[in-house]
Amino acid sequence: MAGSKPSANKPSTTPPTSTWDERLITMLLPWRIELVGLLCALAGLLILLSLLHLTRSAPLNWISGQLRLLAGWGAYPLALTLIALGVHIALRQVSRPYRVRPTQVIGTELVLLSALALTHQLSGAGLAGAFGGKGGGLIGWALSEPLLAFLGPILTDGLQVTLLLVGVALVARVTWNDGVRWLTLASTRLHEWARQLEAQAAAMRAAKQVTTPPSAQPAEAPPPVVVPPPPPPRPAMLPPLSLLQVGKETAVSPQEITQKSRTIEQTLMDFGLPAKVTTVRQGPAVTQFGVTPGYIERNGPDGEPHQQKVRVGQIAALNKDLALALKVPRLRIEAPVPGRSVVGIEVPNMDISAVRLRAVLESDAFRRLKSPLAVALGRDVSGTAVATDLGRLPHLLIAGTTGSGKSVCLGSLISTLVFNNPPDRLKIVLIDPKKVELSRYNGLPHLLGNVETDHERVIGVLRWLTAEMDQRYQMFAELGARNITVYNERVSRRPDVQPLPYMAVFIDELADLMAMYPSDVERTLCRLAQMARATGIHLVVATQRPSTDVITGLIKANFPARIAFSVASTTDSRVVLDSVGAEHLLGRGDMLFLSPDASAPQRIQGCYVADDEIDAIVAHWRRVLPDYDAGTAPWEAVLARMQVIGQTDDLLEQAVAFAQEHDTVSASLLQRKLRVGYPRAARLMEALYEMGMVEDPKQGGRTRRSLVNEDDGDALERYLEEQSD
């Protein structure tokens, strides 16, 4: 309505006018953190000026006095730290050219606190001096005096210096690997400097000898002769070490090592992997270059660059590229080397040194074993002799392609055992389906029977071994002994009982036996491997076909110790070792030895035993024991039983035992109990009738009455004796 007044209750739409202080707060609010940083920097600057006596403000002088009382000389770095902290906070919106890490902050605190404690100890100010702001102040006194009273001055100083060095390392971002690399570089340069000084001294001595007349030259003292301890004397019966040949080692030249080290480093750098060769270990067949991975600078999620260590897998993937650069047919990379912080690149030597058996037998590694079943293996990649105890393995599986060194390895193991044991302490069983490798040991007094080469007789040998194992366990139970060592110790006090000898069984080719009698061989070997250790029976089995149908899962599970020579593929290597690596071996005795207590296989150049050395050892034992008569092979009785029973009726023993336990027997009953087919059960019934253990089928029909019982003892043994008579 015209001329009407506006309502008094209608709200005003005009915004209220803000005051100048509100507008200032609104403008500065987004910069509040930067303002706090500026205030911190200003406070630190004023405190620093007061510490330097450049201001006369009473409040500032009081604050700086209290700070000097607490930290002594540390008041100055604390003031500088406050200034730096304020500047850092004030520049939070600016792209900083630096990056402060939490470890660097911790390192700075460690440096400051340990330095305060050390300066208090060095100043000797005591509590009164600390109240006067001397040394490290009250903080330095508190960090020093309790430790001095508890640890003493030497340990306290050592602890504080250690914390100081750790803090410096954190601030400078120095890792343990950097320290090792610097120490290695310093050691290398010191060695070079020492060689230069030695060369200069030699040149000066030569010049002096030329200029000085012979009559004026002083007599030089002879160099001290280091005499190693003599080896323990060998018994007169054992073969002398002079029967074995002395090997000659070929060393790799320093120039070749330097060249290969540079090639490895340059090749890795070409692929963007900085690394440094820090260690070199020379062996008879390969030289292992220990490579320490370096660091690669990469951008992180925040866009800031940071150092990332080269992964071990990246170096291991360059196997073929390194082999190409080093001009070698193959090489092996051990990433990483067990127990060491390096990646091992094993490069073949130009000249391979033969490892002789004598050198390993004379080594400390072999002497330390002090076991009758100690065997020499060879030398590792550093040239150190390697030996092991066959009794601790307790069985050994050897695999590799033809010509890789399996038979030579078996020969060195057998030669080591017969070289250090008389026949009454060790017996050997040799099985050689190839008929040519182990025949030279025939006539050895340690050998039970002759070298078995017939496949059909091998099954009888293995069955006799299981029977011998069961018999030994029965003998242990009678004396309460748990193994052969305890048994021999107890019977040594009884003149009427002879101690049991150890027994080593060597099988040169498992694949031929598994091809003809897979179930019998696998079952017998697994039973021996599971139980024969305590009885002193140990198996060494070799094969040139490392496939799953030869080295089955059961056999692998019972042979924890394995030796892999050169194989054709990674699949074969996994079958033997459960890991790759054997496909990169060089052959000619180059092997990987996997011990039951080791996490990774060990590369070894195996011992080489020449034929004339083996012949000399066998001839020695024949000469020492000319009248030794091994007699008939103990498994001949088992073979005779197998011949009577026949290969088709090898379940006859169970059928005889079944006839002794039951009053009536039938073919269908044997079929169900023995889990065989009806034709085989019928043949078993006919065999029982021919042996006189069941009645005539005409009288009893299909079910026949048994003519033997459990009181008859071993009816089958009695029948065999009657047939032999």
Side-chain angles (χ1 to χ4, degrees):
M1 184 177 297
S4 63
K5 296 181 179 180
S7 176
N9 296 329
K10 185 177 181 180
S12 177
T13 58
T14 303
T17 304
S18 59
T19 62
W20 67 270
D21 54 344
E22 292 176 347
R23 290 196 300 269
L24 180 63
I25 293 175
T26 303
M27 181 179 62
L28 296 180
L29 188 61
W31 302 91
R32 60 187 182 279
I33 297 179
E34 284 78 1
L35 291 176
V36 172
L38 289 177
L39 291 177
C40 288
L42 180 61
L45 179 61
L46 293 176
I47 293 173
L48 181 62
L49 293 176
S50 178
L51 290 172
L52 296 175
H53 303 287
L54 297 179
T55 179
R56 297 182 178 180
S57 173
L60 289 177
N61 291 337
W62 182 84
I63 293 175
S64 61
Q66 296 299 318
L67 193 61
R68 188 180 289 109
L69 174 66
L70 288 175
W73 64 267
Y76 296 95
L78 287 177
L80 293 174
T81 302
L82 185 60
I83 296 173
L85 178 62
V87 174
H88 178 78
I89 295 175
L91 297 178
R92 74 184 189 98
Q93 299 290 347
V94 182
S95 179
R96 306 186 187 104
Y98 61 90
R99 182 181 180 184
V100 180
R101 291 174 170 80
T103 55
Q104 292 178 312
V105 177
I106 297 174
T108 304
E109 295 174 355
L110 284 178
V111 170
L112 181 60
L113 294 177
S114 58
L116 291 177
L118 285 173
T119 52
H120 174 80
Q121 296 169 217
L122 294 176
S123 64
L127 182 60
F131 273 106
K134 296 181 179 179
L138 292 177
I139 295 177
W141 174 85
L143 294 176
S144 299
E145 294 299 331
L147 292 177
L148 287 172
F150 183 71
L151 299 177
I154 297 178
L155 292 179
T156 301
D157 293 342
L159 177 61
Q160 300 294 351
V161 170
T162 302
L163 292 177
L164 179 65
L165 295 177
V166 171
V168 172
L170 291 175
V171 173
R173 297 176 59 194
V174 177
T175 63
W176 177 260
N177 291 331
D178 295 333
V180 172
R181 184 164 57 252
W182 291 343
L183 290 176
T184 304
L185 181 61
S187 176
T188 304
R189 292 184 177 179
L190 287 176
H191 280 296
E192 294 178 355
W193 181 59
R195 285 197 296 266
Q196 293 176 0
L197 292 179
E198 184 179 357
Q200 294 176 2
M204 293 177 62
R205 287 196 301 267
K208 185 178 180 180
Q209 290 178 358
V210 172
T211 58
T212 305
S215 59
Q217 294 181 3
E220 295 183 358
V225 179
V226 180
V227 180
R234 293 175 58 84
M237 178 183 291
L238 298 181
L241 289 172
S242 58
L243 295 180
L244 302 177
Q245 300 179 11
V246 179
K248 181 180 179 181
E249 299 182 0
T250 304
V252 181
S253 63
Q255 294 80 8
E256 182 181 352
I257 292 177
T258 303
Q259 179 183 2
K260 290 182 178 179
S261 300
R262 292 176 180 174
T263 303
I264 292 173
E265 294 175 356
Q266 185 61 40
T267 304
L268 294 176
M269 183 61 68
D270 292 342
F271 286 92
L273 304 177
K276 184 72 175 178
V277 176
T278 55
T279 61
V280 178
R281 303 169 67 190
Q282 180 184 348
V286 297
T287 299
Q288 185 187 74
F289 294 86
V291 176
T292 301
Y295 291 87
I296 303 175
E297 185 171 332
R298 298 183 182 275
N299 293 330
D302 54 355
E304 297 291 336
H306 67 282
Q307 299 291 327
Q308 179 179 351
K309 194 174 183 64
V310 174
R311 295 194 300 270
V312 173
Q314 294 176 297
I315 300 178
L318 298 178
N319 190 309
K320 296 182 180 180
D321 299 283
L322 288 171
L324 178 64
L326 293 168
K327 301 177 183 179
V328 294
R330 60 178 67 180
L331 56 81
R332 176 175 174 263
I333 298 180
E334 192 173 16
V337 178
R340 304 173 62 202
S341 59
V342 295
V343 177
I345 301 178
E346 299 170 356
V347 183
N349 297 336
M350 297 181 62
D351 297 324
I352 297 179
S353 303
V355 179
R356 292 291 181 176
L357 180 61
R358 177 173 178 174
V360 182
L361 293 181
E362 293 176 336
S363 65
D364 294 335
F366 187 85
R367 295 176 187 171
R368 286 195 297 265
L369 291 178
K370 297 180 181 179
S371 170
L373 295 178
V375 291
L377 294 180
R379 294 187 181 273
D380 60 9
V381 294
S382 63
T384 306
V386 180
T388 187
D389 185 6
L390 185 60
R392 295 181 180 179
L393 293 181
H395 311 288
L396 181 61
L397 178 64
I398 304 174
T401 58
T402 303
S404 58
K406 301 185 306 300
S407 299
V408 177
C409 179
L410 287 179
S412 66
L413 298 180
I414 298 172
S415 300
T416 304
L417 292 175
V418 302
F419 199 83
N420 296 289
N421 293 280
D424 58 350
R425 189 168 61 180
L426 174 70
K427 295 297 181 182
I428 294 178
V429 178
L430 300 182
I431 299 174
D432 183 16
K434 294 190 292 186
K435 301 180 174 60
V436 293
E437 297 294 344
L438 304 179
S439 59
R440 63 175 63 94
Y441 291 100
N442 277 324
L444 190 67
H446 303 73
L447 190 60
L448 288 176
N450 292 323
V451 179
E452 293 294 341
T453 59
D454 191 354
H455 296 75
E456 297 180 358
R457 292 176 58 87
V458 169
I459 304 301
V461 176
L462 296 178
R463 291 183 179 178
W464 175 83
L465 287 171
T466 57
E468 175 69 14
M469 176 187 68
D470 295 336
Q471 183 180 0
R472 290 191 174 193
Y473 271 118
Q474 184 177 359
M475 298 168 64
F476 293 172
E478 293 175 356
L479 293 183
R482 61 186 182 89
N483 54 37
I484 187 174
T485 304
V486 178
Y487 177 84
N488 287 338
E489 290 177 356
R490 295 184 179 180
V491 301
S492 61
R493 298 185 291 268
R494 298 175 54 179
D496 57 331
V497 182
Q498 295 294 328
L500 291 175
Y502 292 94
M503 193 173 297
V505 183
F506 292 85
I507 302 176
D508 190 19
E509 185 49 64
L510 179 63
D512 291 347
L513 300 178
M514 291 292 291
M516 299 190 66
Y517 309 106
S519 59
D520 293 337
V521 173
E522 181 182 17
R523 182 175 61 253
T524 311
L525 281 181
C526 291
R527 188 165 186 267
L528 287 171
Q530 290 171 356
M531 302 179 60
R533 174 183 184 177
T535 63
I537 301 176
H538 302 276
L539 305 176
V540 179
V541 180
T543 180
Q544 65 180 3
R545 188 159 60 88
S547 57
T548 55
D549 58 339
V550 176
I551 305 177
T552 62
L554 286 176
I555 293 179
K556 284 180 59 178
N558 292 286
F559 283 80
R562 304 164 198 167
I563 291 179
F565 288 91
S566 178
V567 296
S569 63
T570 57
T571 303
D572 295 342
S573 178
R574 292 183 185 277
V575 170
V576 183
L577 299 175
D578 295 326
S579 63
V580 298
E583 71 278 4
H584 298 304
L585 298 178
L586 306 176
R588 299 176 57 188
D590 190 15
M591 63 178 173
L592 291 176
F593 171 61
L594 180 61
S595 178
D597 55 354
S599 59
Q602 181 182 13
R603 190 169 188 176
I604 301 173
Q605 180 66 26
C607 295
Y608 174 72
V609 184
D611 293 343
D612 53 353
E613 293 178 292
I614 296 176
D615 296 338
I617 296 174
V618 176
H620 169 83
W621 283 112
R622 290 178 178 175
R623 184 174 60 256
V624 172
L625 301 172
D627 300 330
Y628 185 85
D629 184 14
T632 307
W635 48 80
E636 292 296 338
V638 178
L639 294 174
R641 176 188 301 181
M642 291 176 56
Q643 186 176 4
V644 173
I645 297 175
Q647 293 295 333
T648 58
D649 292 331
D650 55 357
L651 295 176
L652 185 56
E653 295 181 9
Q654 301 181 33
V656 171
F658 189 77
Q660 291 177 320
E661 297 173 359
H662 297 79
D663 296 333
T664 59
V665 185
S666 65
S668 59
L669 186 61
L670 292 178
Q671 180 183 1
R672 294 194 304 271
K673 296 296 184 181
L674 302 182
R675 297 181 180 179
V676 296
Y678 184 82
R680 191 168 189 181
R683 288 197 301 269
L684 290 174
M685 289 296 300
E686 292 299 327
L688 293 176
Y689 170 69
E690 293 176 359
M691 297 168 62
M693 297 183 183
V694 295
E695 64 179 356
D696 191 341
K698 296 180 180 180
Q699 298 178 3
R702 298 183 62 183
T703 301
R704 310 186 193 184
R705 184 170 58 87
S706 175
L707 303 179
V708 292
N709 52 39
E710 296 181 358
D711 297 334
D712 293 335
D714 195 342
L716 182 58
E717 289 288 346
R718 188 174 63 255
Y719 173 75
L720 292 176
E721 292 178 0
E722 294 176 356
Q723 292 295 321
S724 60
D725 295 338

